[in-house]
Amino acid sequence: MAEMGSPPGWGRFVSLHRPALRAPQHHVASAASREPAAPAADGVRTVLRFEGAVVLAVALVGYAQFGMGWGVFALWLFAPDLSLLGYLAGPRVGAALYNAAHALIGPVLLLALGVFAAQPWAVAGGLIWLARVGLDHALGFGLKYATGFASTHLGRIGRADPW
């Protein structure tokens, strides 16, 4: 994000202005008290949402081949949303639990365990979990910042603040 007073475009990368000897005081605030510096924007947000849709589609096709029935799929699809209960302990804990349940690493590891250990329950669980993560990312619900539920790596979610 460009700082105030810096030229637009490439000017924020290559500037003729001398750097300040000390950082301005508005940069001293803790990471938990300010908005994230740069959520995905423009084409990057579109690519990340499309990536989520592809993950969802691949997980659905995989589950159709190796799953345990669509009743099991429907039962467990929303299980990662139980992580939202972490927000009862505050935004920092809530964001950490939500991100743990909605990042790709968990379902990929569970899927790998199922494949390499020949455990059908782990394959099915990994595919269901992967489908849920893909669905969330495709809909624009990204990983959360500690500043609040609406601040995600895909941009702010929800209606704009009318005030």
Side-chain angles (χ1 to χ4, degrees), residues 41-63:
D42 302 328
V44 174
R45 179 172 159 76
T46 303
V47 168
L48 290 173
R49 289 185 70 179
F50 182 69
E51 179 183 68
V54 169
V55 167
L56 172 62
V58 168
L60 288 173
V61 169
Y63 191 81

mmCIF file of all heavy atoms in Angstrom, residues 41-63:
data_model
loop_
_atom_site.group_PDB
_atom_site.id
_atom_site.type_symbol
_atom_site.label_atom_id
_atom_site.label_comp_id
_atom_site.label_asym_id
_atom_site.label_seq_id
_atom_site.Cartn_x
_atom_site.Cartn_y
_atom_site.Cartn_z
ATOM 1 N N ALA A 41 -6.614 -8.081 -4.020
ATOM 2 C CA ALA A 41 -7.446 -7.117 -4.733
ATOM 3 C C ALA A 41 -7.421 -7.413 -6.225
ATOM 4 O O ALA A 41 -6.570 -8.139 -6.720
ATOM 5 C CB ALA A 41 -6.927 -5.705 -4.467
ATOM 6 N N ASP A 42 -8.387 -6.815 -6.901
ATOM 7 C CA ASP A 42 -8.486 -6.869 -8.354
ATOM 8 C C ASP A 42 -8.435 -8.298 -8.882
ATOM 9 O O ASP A 42 -9.181 -9.145 -8.459
ATOM 10 C CB ASP A 42 -7.393 -6.003 -9.000
ATOM 11 C CG ASP A 42 -7.464 -4.555 -8.551
ATOM 12 O OD1 ASP A 42 -8.586 -4.082 -8.278
ATOM 13 O OD2 ASP A 42 -6.417 -3.908 -8.464
ATOM 14 N N GLY A 43 -7.520 -8.564 -9.806
ATOM 15 C CA GLY A 43 -7.423 -9.870 -10.431
ATOM 16 C C GLY A 43 -6.956 -10.958 -9.490
ATOM 17 O O GLY A 43 -7.313 -12.119 -9.664
ATOM 18 N N VAL A 44 -6.187 -10.614 -8.476
ATOM 19 C CA VAL A 44 -5.691 -11.614 -7.531
ATOM 20 C C VAL A 44 -6.858 -12.224 -6.760
ATOM 21 O O VAL A 44 -6.935 -13.437 -6.592
ATOM 22 C CB VAL A 44 -4.659 -10.996 -6.565
ATOM 23 C CG1 VAL A 44 -4.257 -11.987 -5.493
ATOM 24 C CG2 VAL A 44 -3.446 -10.498 -7.325
ATOM 25 N N ARG A 45 -7.787 -11.399 -6.335
ATOM 26 C CA ARG A 45 -8.971 -11.890 -5.626
ATOM 27 C C ARG A 45 -9.775 -12.827 -6.520
ATOM 28 O O ARG A 45 -10.230 -13.878 -6.076
ATOM 29 C CB ARG A 45 -9.827 -10.703 -5.170
ATOM 30 C CG ARG A 45 -11.082 -11.092 -4.443
ATOM 31 C CD ARG A 45 -11.734 -9.820 -3.869
ATOM 32 N NE ARG A 45 -13.127 -9.924 -3.569
ATOM 33 C CZ ARG A 45 -13.660 -10.539 -2.531
ATOM 34 N NH1 ARG A 45 -12.897 -11.152 -1.693
ATOM 35 N NH2 ARG A 45 -14.945 -10.558 -2.316
ATOM 36 N N THR A 46 -9.923 -12.472 -7.767
ATOM 37 C CA THR A 46 -10.655 -13.317 -8.718
ATOM 38 C C THR A 46 -9.959 -14.658 -8.906
ATOM 39 O O THR A 46 -10.611 -15.705 -8.914
ATOM 40 C CB THR A 46 -10.799 -12.597 -10.063
ATOM 41 O OG1 THR A 46 -11.460 -11.338 -9.844
ATOM 42 C CG2 THR A 46 -11.582 -13.414 -11.056
ATOM 43 N N VAL A 47 -8.645 -14.631 -9.040
ATOM 44 C CA VAL A 47 -7.887 -15.875 -9.204
ATOM 45 C C VAL A 47 -8.033 -16.758 -7.969
ATOM 46 O O VAL A 47 -8.243 -17.969 -8.074
ATOM 47 C CB VAL A 47 -6.397 -15.585 -9.507
ATOM 48 C CG1 VAL A 47 -5.553 -16.836 -9.390
ATOM 49 C CG2 VAL A 47 -6.245 -14.962 -10.879
ATOM 50 N N LEU A 48 -7.937 -16.177 -6.775
ATOM 51 C CA LEU A 48 -8.058 -16.955 -5.545
ATOM 52 C C LEU A 48 -9.461 -17.539 -5.380
ATOM 53 O O LEU A 48 -9.621 -18.669 -4.922
ATOM 54 C CB LEU A 48 -7.691 -16.104 -4.331
ATOM 55 C CG LEU A 48 -6.208 -15.744 -4.211
ATOM 56 C CD1 LEU A 48 -5.987 -14.757 -3.075
ATOM 57 C CD2 LEU A 48 -5.364 -16.986 -4.021
ATOM 58 N N ARG A 49 -10.479 -16.788 -5.777
ATOM 59 C CA ARG A 49 -11.845 -17.320 -5.701
ATOM 60 C C ARG A 49 -12.047 -18.420 -6.731
ATOM 61 O O ARG A 49 -12.700 -19.428 -6.451
ATOM 62 C CB ARG A 49 -12.858 -16.195 -5.875
ATOM 63 C CG ARG A 49 -12.880 -15.279 -4.637
ATOM 64 C CD ARG A 49 -13.934 -14.237 -4.718
ATOM 65 N NE ARG A 49 -15.247 -14.871 -4.587
ATOM 66 C CZ ARG A 49 -16.380 -14.189 -4.596
ATOM 67 N NH1 ARG A 49 -16.366 -12.879 -4.705
ATOM 68 N NH2 ARG A 49 -17.521 -14.817 -4.483
ATOM 69 N N PHE A 50 -11.499 -18.257 -7.929
ATOM 70 C CA PHE A 50 -11.582 -19.305 -8.944
ATOM 71 C C PHE A 50 -10.835 -20.553 -8.490
ATOM 72 O O PHE A 50 -11.294 -21.682 -8.687
ATOM 73 C CB PHE A 50 -11.021 -18.801 -10.283
ATOM 74 C CG PHE A 50 -11.105 -19.812 -11.388
ATOM 75 C CD1 PHE A 50 -12.327 -20.177 -11.916
ATOM 76 C CD2 PHE A 50 -9.959 -20.410 -11.881
ATOM 77 C CE1 PHE A 50 -12.410 -21.118 -12.925
ATOM 78 C CE2 PHE A 50 -10.027 -21.345 -12.891
ATOM 79 C CZ PHE A 50 -11.262 -21.703 -13.418
ATOM 80 N N GLU A 51 -9.697 -20.353 -7.846
ATOM 81 C CA GLU A 51 -8.946 -21.473 -7.286
ATOM 82 C C GLU A 51 -9.799 -22.241 -6.270
ATOM 83 O O GLU A 51 -9.811 -23.471 -6.258
ATOM 84 C CB GLU A 51 -7.679 -20.942 -6.616
ATOM 85 C CG GLU A 51 -6.818 -21.990 -5.970
ATOM 86 C CD GLU A 51 -5.626 -21.367 -5.281
ATOM 87 O OE1 GLU A 51 -5.820 -20.659 -4.270
ATOM 88 O OE2 GLU A 51 -4.501 -21.575 -5.771
ATOM 89 N N GLY A 52 -10.541 -21.525 -5.430
ATOM 90 C CA GLY A 52 -11.443 -22.169 -4.482
ATOM 91 C C GLY A 52 -12.514 -22.984 -5.192
ATOM 92 O O GLY A 52 -12.854 -24.095 -4.767
ATOM 93 N N ALA A 53 -13.046 -22.459 -6.295
ATOM 94 C CA ALA A 53 -14.061 -23.184 -7.061
ATOM 95 C C ALA A 53 -13.478 -24.454 -7.671
ATOM 96 O O ALA A 53 -14.144 -25.500 -7.702
ATOM 97 C CB ALA A 53 -14.641 -22.283 -8.152
ATOM 98 N N VAL A 54 -12.236 -24.390 -8.132
ATOM 99 C CA VAL A 54 -11.580 -25.577 -8.695
ATOM 100 C C VAL A 54 -11.346 -26.615 -7.599
ATOM 101 O O VAL A 54 -11.581 -27.812 -7.804
ATOM 102 C CB VAL A 54 -10.262 -25.190 -9.408
ATOM 103 C CG1 VAL A 54 -9.444 -26.418 -9.755
ATOM 104 C CG2 VAL A 54 -10.558 -24.366 -10.649
ATOM 105 N N VAL A 55 -10.909 -26.186 -6.430
ATOM 106 C CA VAL A 55 -10.708 -27.108 -5.305
ATOM 107 C C VAL A 55 -12.031 -27.780 -4.954
ATOM 108 O O VAL A 55 -12.086 -29.000 -4.737
ATOM 109 C CB VAL A 55 -10.103 -26.368 -4.085
ATOM 110 C CG1 VAL A 55 -10.181 -27.215 -2.822
ATOM 111 C CG2 VAL A 55 -8.669 -25.968 -4.370
ATOM 112 N N LEU A 56 -13.104 -27.012 -4.911
ATOM 113 C CA LEU A 56 -14.434 -27.565 -4.624
ATOM 114 C C LEU A 56 -14.825 -28.602 -5.673
ATOM 115 O O LEU A 56 -15.262 -29.705 -5.336
ATOM 116 C CB LEU A 56 -15.472 -26.442 -4.575
ATOM 117 C CG LEU A 56 -16.938 -26.866 -4.472
ATOM 118 C CD1 LEU A 56 -17.198 -27.647 -3.190
ATOM 119 C CD2 LEU A 56 -17.842 -25.639 -4.566
ATOM 120 N N ALA A 57 -14.648 -28.270 -6.945
ATOM 121 C CA ALA A 57 -15.032 -29.191 -8.025
ATOM 122 C C ALA A 57 -14.225 -30.485 -7.975
ATOM 123 O O ALA A 57 -14.788 -31.584 -8.098
ATOM 124 C CB ALA A 57 -14.858 -28.502 -9.384
ATOM 125 N N VAL A 58 -12.916 -30.368 -7.772
ATOM 126 C CA VAL A 58 -12.066 -31.561 -7.716
ATOM 127 C C VAL A 58 -12.435 -32.418 -6.505
ATOM 128 O O VAL A 58 -12.492 -33.653 -6.599
ATOM 129 C CB VAL A 58 -10.569 -31.161 -7.695
ATOM 130 C CG1 VAL A 58 -9.679 -32.336 -7.351
ATOM 131 C CG2 VAL A 58 -10.173 -30.555 -9.038
ATOM 132 N N ALA A 59 -12.714 -31.779 -5.372
ATOM 133 C CA ALA A 59 -13.101 -32.534 -4.174
ATOM 134 C C ALA A 59 -14.438 -33.245 -4.387
ATOM 135 O O ALA A 59 -14.607 -34.395 -3.959
ATOM 136 C CB ALA A 59 -13.171 -31.606 -2.969
ATOM 137 N N LEU A 60 -15.383 -32.601 -5.053
ATOM 138 C CA LEU A 60 -16.672 -33.241 -5.326
ATOM 139 C C LEU A 60 -16.524 -34.432 -6.267
ATOM 140 O O LEU A 60 -17.125 -35.493 -6.039
ATOM 141 C CB LEU A 60 -17.658 -32.227 -5.910
ATOM 142 C CG LEU A 60 -18.203 -31.189 -4.938
ATOM 143 C CD1 LEU A 60 -19.038 -30.156 -5.680
ATOM 144 C CD2 LEU A 60 -19.007 -31.845 -3.835
ATOM 145 N N VAL A 61 -15.713 -34.275 -7.304
ATOM 146 C CA VAL A 61 -15.478 -35.388 -8.230
ATOM 147 C C VAL A 61 -14.763 -36.524 -7.503
ATOM 148 O O VAL A 61 -15.119 -37.698 -7.653
ATOM 149 C CB VAL A 61 -14.670 -34.911 -9.461
ATOM 150 C CG1 VAL A 61 -14.189 -36.083 -10.290
ATOM 151 C CG2 VAL A 61 -15.515 -33.969 -10.313
ATOM 152 N N GLY A 62 -13.776 -36.197 -6.698
ATOM 153 C CA GLY A 62 -13.064 -37.216 -5.927
ATOM 154 C C GLY A 62 -13.984 -37.921 -4.950
ATOM 155 O O GLY A 62 -13.920 -39.142 -4.789
ATOM 156 N N TYR A 63 -14.865 -37.156 -4.294
ATOM 157 C CA TYR A 63 -15.778 -37.775 -3.338
ATOM 158 C C TYR A 63 -16.784 -38.681 -4.049
ATOM 159 O O TYR A 63 -17.158 -39.725 -3.527
ATOM 160 C CB TYR A 63 -16.509 -36.719 -2.509
ATOM 161 C CG TYR A 63 -17.245 -37.327 -1.345
ATOM 162 C CD1 TYR A 63 -16.570 -37.646 -0.179
ATOM 163 C CD2 TYR A 63 -18.600 -37.628 -1.428
ATOM 164 C CE1 TYR A 63 -17.222 -38.242 0.893
ATOM 165 C CE2 TYR A 63 -19.263 -38.218 -0.368
ATOM 166 C CZ TYR A 63 -18.563 -38.524 0.785
ATOM 167 O OH TYR A 63 -19.209 -39.121 1.836
#
